[in-house]
Structures are given as structure tokens and as C-alpha cells.
Amino acid sequence: MDRYLLPSDETEIYRHIVESARDYAIFAMDLDGTIVTWSAGAANLFGYSSPEIVGQNSVVNFTFEDQLAGALHKEIRLALTAGRADDNRWHVRKDGTSFWASGLMMPLLNTAGEIYGLVKIIRDRTQTLHQDEALRASEERLQLILKSAIDYAIFAFDRDGRIIIWNTGACRIFGYEESEILGCDSRILFLPGDRAEGALEREMAAAAERGRAENERFHVRKDGSTFWGSGLTMPLRAQRAGYLKVLRDDTERHFADEHQQIMLREMSHRVKNSLALVAAMLAMQARSARQEEVGQALRDAEARVGTIAEVHDQLWRQPHTETVDLADFLSSLCQRLEQSSSRHTVSVDADRCVIDADRAIQIALLVNELVTNSFKHAYPDVRGHVAVSARCIGEEIRFEVADDGKGLPPEFSPGERNGSSLGMKIVRGLVQQLKAELHIESRDPGTGFVIRLPRNG
């Protein structure tokens, strides 16, 4: 980079400074406002060349309204009396367009300290004005939204939990006026137990980590009454000031859902009792049957109905009736199967996995058939053990029911679709309903039934 020596004339340096400031209009005037110098920045901003503007009164740069109001003369008087005059106003270019400018007028002093003129420095601030107006409009819209959203409590709190914003909906739902709640600890809106357990802290941590924290819990009003609130907490990232919470009173829906859950459980309980009655009737018929084959068929039907009743019993006892935990579900089912047999044992090794209730009933029937078949055919005359396992591998579940008994009979064909055994027909039908695959393995000793099915139907 070339280097140049500074001019020896100080006046020349000052002239270069003024001419280099292209983003600023810098010009001098006499005490009446007549322009005597005009910088390159002034030409760039106002559109007048120096020969065009020098000698004219700077009032031409003011809007017609400011000219009528004598704005230029007011600035001159203030600059002469106070030593400076700041202003922010619209100015007019040569082509008639206007721009918003920040200006500073100061008196020019000679070496004797006498005022002989004025200097004015102006910068175009139109973009800043538009940004400020947009921000102000956005803030006004936000305030309008906050005041209009009377069905939602919208409030913000800092990182210590102190409330900094409180809308009309929050006043209506919680009962606190804005003047009495601002600056208060937002933990007063939580139940004492939730406060002690750090519910607010958990919400803030989750919102900071994931960008949002959904929460449903009881909250406390000013009068001490409670309501069920459905809320969403989000971090205020721009200012890092804290968190915004949007919450609505969902008490009516909450109690309606609770009532529906109670009704569903009652219905499921009645279904279970009805199925138990059917099983008892089948057992009674089995005992009175004169032919052993008929009696055994009735006992098998009783076991299948009992399995369905057991699944319904498990469903209505759970917090969520639409899903079942696979590990607990299989453990309970196999425990009942083991209790139904005086000679055989059943072990379960299952992963934790949530499945929907409809598939749980089909899986229960499938496991029931395979285990009872092992009891009957693998160990017809001796005690035996059946191992049930379930592994969740990605989006697939792998079941296995295995025994170490006498193995498959010679006439059994693993690929046979329509065997004579009712149990195997039921197994294949359930496998098809579950969109699963069944593999029957002849082992030494015993037999393994391996079922692979999608985790979600």
C-alpha cells in the first residue's frame, strides 16, 4: 500500500477531512443561513452540486411546513445562544424527495473567539427511523395481542422467576392485577408441593434445552382456589431476559377427561367380569362333557377367554388404558399361565416397550396359545419349563417361546398353512393379523417359536 505524506498546511488537512466524510453533509453558513461552503457528502445527500447551492439560503433544504414554522431561524438562535442546536427532522433533496436526518448546528469562531458564521452537520437517518417505526409498530401489535388474548394468561418472568410482563388474560385467570403482580415471584402461582419439587426450575431448564416446555398441572389463583392449566414455556432468547409462558384454564376439559377415563375403566372392568362369567360357563360345560375331546376343547376355549379377560383387567388398572408396557404385561400373563398349570414353570425376559392395547390383546392370545401348546405337546407326561422372551430392536419386536421338551412330531410341517391343530390355526391367524412373521425351529432338545412383528401396527 502506497503511503503519502500529510500536507504541511493544517487548513488543507481540515478540508480533506470534510471532503472525505461522504456519509455526512457538512456545510458552512453565514449568520443569516446563506450557504458559503458545501461538502462532497452534502452534494451526495441533497443532490445539489456546490456551484448550484452556494449562495442560496439553507432554508431550501427544509420542508414547506418547517419553512413556515421558521425552523431554520430557531436553530440559528439556539446555536448562537447555547453553543449548539440538535435537531431530528425531515429534509428535502433537490429532486423533491425527503429524508429523515439528524443534524447538529454550531457557531464558527475565528482566532479572536468571535462568531462569524455557522457550520451544520447532517446525517441521513431514514433507515433508522423506519426500523424504529417498525419496532414500535411490532411492540404495539404485541401489546394489542397481549391485551386482547383474554382467554390466555400470557406472562414473562426473568431467570430468577420474577414476573416482568402480565397480560389481561393473566389478570382474568389468576385474579392478580398487573400492578400487584409485577416483580413478584412466579412460584406463587404453583401449588406448594410443586414449588417444593422445583416445578418452575424444571420448566425453565426444559425450555432452555429444547426451546419449549409443555406442562399441565394445577395452579393457584389469588383467592387460593385452584384450576388445571395447560401451558407452554419458551425462552426469551433475544434479550436473554427470562421466559415467556402462555397458559389457559383447562379445568373443564381436565375433569371431562378424568370422567371419561373413569367410564372407560368401568366399562373395561365390566367387560372383564363378563368374560370371566363366560369362562366360568365354559369350565362348567367342560366338567359335564362326556367326551374327553369335547371337554378339552371347552377347557381350551375357557383358557383363551380367560386370557382376554386378564388383558382387560390389566388395561383398566393402568394410568393409560390405550397403551400397555410389554414387560409388565408379559410377566403378568405368564404368571397366570404358570398358576393354571400344576406341573410346569414359565420364565419371562422382556424389554421395556409400550404397545397399543389392541395389539396387546392379539399378542396375549398368541403367547397364550404357544405356551399352552408347549405344556400339552412338549411335556405330555413330565414336568417342564417354557421360556418367553421379547426384544425391542428398532421398530421391530422379536418374540420367542421356547421349550426343551420332546420336540416336534415327525408329521409336523413348519411350512404347513392349515394344520389339523386348532391351536396352530389360531397362532397363524394371529400372526397374520399382527402383520408378523412366524419361524418354527426344531432344536435339540425342544422347539422354538420365533415371531417378528412391527412395533406399530
Side-chain angles (χ1 to χ4, degrees), residues 398-456:
R398 182 186 183 277
F399 283 99
E400 182 176 307
V401 178
D403 62 68
D404 53 4
K406 62 184 295 185
L408 296 170
E411 67 274 10
F412 183 86
S413 173
E416 186 180 359
R417 305 298 298 178
N418 296 303
S420 58
S421 166
L422 176 61
M424 283 309 301
K425 288 181 179 178
I426 292 174
V427 166
R428 294 188 188 281
L430 290 168
V431 165
Q432 186 176 9
Q433 289 178 28
L434 288 164
K435 300 178 182 177
E437 296 178 3
L438 170 65
H439 300 280
I440 304 173
E441 302 173 356
S442 182
R443 300 175 180 177
D444 187 18
T447 308
F449 296 83
V450 179
I451 305 103
R452 296 179 181 273
L453 67 152
R455 186 168 179 172
N456 299 307

Side-chain angles (χ1 to χ4, degrees), residues 313-329:
D313 187 51
Q314 282 185 260
L315 287 175
W316 78 266
R317 291 179 185 277
Q318 292 192 137
H320 304 288
T321 57
E322 65 275 7
T323 58
V324 176
D325 183 89
L326 183 63
D328 292 340
F329 161 69

Side-chain angles (χ1 to χ4, degrees), residues 166-339:
W166 190 256
N167 84 322
T168 306
C171 294
R172 188 184 69 83
I173 292 173
F174 284 98
Y176 292 98
E177 293 299 326
E178 183 181 25
S179 58
E180 61 183 334
I181 196 69
L182 291 182
C184 292
D185 192 333
S186 58
R187 291 170 183 84
I188 65 173
L189 308 176
F190 289 74
L191 294 176
D194 288 339
R195 287 180 230 161
E197 293 175 2
L200 179 64
E201 287 75 12
R202 288 199 303 273
E203 282 185 23
M204 290 192 289
E209 180 182 352
R210 301 193 295 268
R212 56 186 287 150
E214 296 179 4
N215 49 85
E216 290 194 325
R217 60 168 49 88
F218 279 104
H219 285 277
V220 185
R221 295 188 178 93
K222 179 183 176 182
D223 61 8
S225 61
T226 60
F227 68 95
W228 182 262
S230 297
L232 176 66
T233 303
M234 297 164 287
L236 296 171
R237 297 194 185 280
Q239 298 84 11
R240 295 183 60 82
Y243 300 86
L244 178 73
K245 184 158 185 170
V246 181
L247 177 146
R248 71 175 299 168
D249 183 351
D250 258 353
T251 308
E252 186 175 343
R253 178 191 62 81
H254 173 67
F255 286 122
D257 288 347
E258 278 195 343
H259 179 69
Q260 184 179 22
Q261 289 294 323
I262 291 170
M263 294 298 293
L264 286 172
R265 290 173 193 227
E266 177 65 23
M267 187 181 300
S268 183
H269 183 52
R270 290 182 181 181
V271 169
K272 180 250 182 181
N273 289 342
S274 299
L275 290 171
L277 179 61
V278 172
M281 293 172 66
L282 288 170
M284 184 174 64
Q285 288 291 323
R287 287 193 296 271
S288 62
R290 295 182 179 180
Q291 297 181 356
E292 179 56 29
E293 289 185 1
V294 174
Q296 186 58 50
L298 289 170
R299 284 190 292 273
D300 289 345
E302 175 203 351
R304 292 174 185 124
V305 172
T307 298
I308 298 173
E310 181 67 21
V311 175
H312 275 281
D313 187 51
Q314 282 185 260
L315 287 175
W316 78 266
R317 291 179 185 277
Q318 292 192 137
H320 304 288
T321 57
E322 65 275 7
T323 58
V324 176
D325 183 89
L326 183 63
D328 292 340
F329 161 69
L330 282 180
S331 296
S332 178
L333 172 64
C334 291
Q335 183 180 10
R336 187 188 67 80
L337 289 171
E338 185 178 77
Q339 290 170 351

